[in-house]
Amino acid sequence: MMLSKTETTISMPERHTMRAMDLVGACKAFVNVSERGSFTLGAAAARIPQPVASRRIAALERHLGARLFDRSTRRATLTQFGRDMLPSARRLVRLAEEMEHDAERAALRPLRLAVPDTCATRDLALLGAEAREEGIHLDFRSAAPAARTELLGAREVRAALAGVPPGEAAWTVPLGLAGAGEPRAGAVYLETLRLPRDRSSSRGRRVWLQPEDDVPHVRDPLNRLRDAVGLRPGQVVLAASLASAAAEVLGSEDLLLCSPRQAEDLGLYWRPTGEVRLARGYEVAAETGDEAERLRALLGRAIARCLGAPAGESRGEPSGREPLGRPDPGQEPA
């Protein structure tokens, strides 16, 4: 079939391959101009200047090899070739718009993050607000250390604040012993909790661990210290929750292993342990290394606040056992 003068084929040397983004933009201009019968009105509908619309349609014509519009009339009239190509252009534009819409929804899809159940609601809210400023929508799942690892492994969350040894951590939280009695200076030596022989039938004062500290790098050194200084196995106890552990401590002379921040929130008096230094360590674990690095880089300070890490604490190394030692002669009992 012969093409009319207004449907002249573009000679092969002038044809060129358009980039995908250029092709979509040119098709948007083509569709809008054709629907409005005007380059000026079509360009306005496409939200581009009229000269840009003209250049894009001309490039599309070179790419396809024939004229889309009849240039012999004032009105933007489609050639037969243009009428044949319009349905395909509309489909491409519609698909591009659907893709942009899907991209917007994907960007707004919450990133589910498993966090320690020791994080305060306000701190999590501040972390969430700061994340939104970075274009990240967080959805929190509070859980104990082992449960956080399981949630990530089952892909029920995309990232988790995992408990790790302090030497491998991005954030560390010092641990000590807190009680409800009168405030005292200096460290707490576990040896002072040992029962004398004439009180062998007594239960003795206990040290309560919360689920967040039921991890090898905290639990095992404490149990070794318990055995080394002669405490009974029942004097170091794992509680079902922080609330139940705090209840035991508030109503007795028992002690709670916790962070300074937790002690302050509970109205307890905190002191470091004397024979060994203990700390929680945290690192971001995620489905991909890039995602973990992004959370660490953009939200590091807000995450530290949630964990109760000291200001500016990062990659600290407060772990490692110190030599066991007896309390100083002048050291007050715990």
Side-chain angles (χ1 to χ4, degrees):
M1 183 181 70
M2 296 292 293
L3 292 174
S4 67
K5 287 185 177 181
T6 57
E7 298 173 356
T8 304
T9 302
I10 305 297
S11 62
M12 288 302 293
E14 295 183 21
R15 296 188 66 171
H16 69 288
T17 301
M18 299 182 69
R19 295 182 302 175
M21 292 299 294
D22 294 338
L23 181 60
V24 171
C27 285
K28 284 184 178 181
F30 169 43
V31 169
N32 279 283
V33 170
S34 66
E35 290 177 346
R36 288 158 180 81
S38 165
F39 275 80
T40 302
L41 296 178
R47 298 181 180 180
I48 56 176
Q50 187 271 328
V52 174
S54 296
R55 286 197 300 271
R56 288 183 179 179
I57 291 173
L60 182 60
E61 289 175 329
R62 289 194 299 273
H63 177 68
L64 298 175
R67 297 288 187 188
L68 297 168
F69 290 98
D70 182 353
R71 299 300 201 279
S72 66
T73 63
R74 290 187 176 183
R75 183 174 174 80
T77 304
L78 288 170
T79 63
Q80 181 59 51
F81 180 77
R83 287 193 293 273
D84 291 342
M85 295 306 301
L86 184 58
S88 297
R90 282 175 172 157
R91 287 196 298 272
L92 180 58
V93 170
R94 184 171 61 253
L95 286 172
E97 290 174 346
E98 290 176 358
M99 184 176 183
E100 290 172 356
H101 178 66
D102 290 344
E104 290 176 359
R105 287 198 307 171
L108 294 174
R109 183 168 68 92
L111 190 162
R112 188 164 292 173
L113 175 66
V115 299
D117 49 20
T118 56
C119 294
T121 301
R122 174 175 170 76
D123 291 334
L124 288 176
L126 291 172
L127 172 58
E130 191 166 319
R132 285 175 181 267
E133 293 180 359
E134 300 291 348
I136 304 171
H137 293 253
L138 294 179
D139 179 24
F140 300 109
R141 287 284 300 273
S142 297
R148 297 199 296 274
T149 301
E150 292 173 0
L151 287 170
L152 184 61
R155 295 192 173 182
E156 294 185 34
V157 298
R158 285 169 56 189
L161 297 181
V164 298
E168 304 171 10
W171 304 275
T172 58
V173 181
L175 295 174
L177 295 172
E182 294 296 323
R184 297 177 182 176
V188 179
Y189 286 83
L190 262 68
E191 185 176 4
T192 62
L193 304 182
R194 186 175 56 207
L195 287 168
R197 292 181 180 178
D198 58 357
R199 294 181 57 193
S200 58
S201 61
S202 174
R203 182 184 65 184
R205 296 173 68 189
R206 293 172 294 183
V207 172
W208 289 90
L209 275 72
Q210 51 192 293
E212 188 60 26
D213 297 319
D214 187 20
V215 290
H217 57 274
V218 175
R219 178 192 62 230
D220 294 350
L222 188 63
N223 285 337
R224 287 195 295 267
L225 176 60
R226 174 201 64 195
D227 297 339
V229 301
L231 300 187
R232 295 181 178 182
Q235 285 186 268
V236 176
V237 188
L238 176 64
S241 67
L242 173 59
S244 60
E248 295 284 352
V249 173
L250 288 169
S252 70
E253 294 185 344
D254 289 351
L255 299 170
L256 173 68
L257 184 72
C258 65
S259 69
R261 174 82 171 274
Q262 288 181 307
E264 181 180 359
D265 292 343
L266 294 168
L268 301 175
Y269 299 108
W270 185 92
R271 289 190 284 165
T273 53
E275 297 100 336
V276 64
R277 297 176 65 196
L278 299 172
R280 296 171 187 154
Y282 293 98
E283 183 56 276
V284 178
E287 292 180 351
T288 65
D290 288 346
E291 193 153 64
E293 180 58 33
R294 183 168 67 118
L295 291 173
R296 193 184 301 113
L298 296 178
L299 302 173
R301 291 185 179 180
I303 291 173
R305 181 175 58 238
C306 282
L307 298 173
E313 181 73 30
S314 178
R315 300 287 177 190
E317 298 181 358
S319 63
R321 296 184 61 193
E322 295 181 354
L324 298 182
R326 298 182 59 83
D328 295 334
Q331 173 70 40
E332 290 185 80

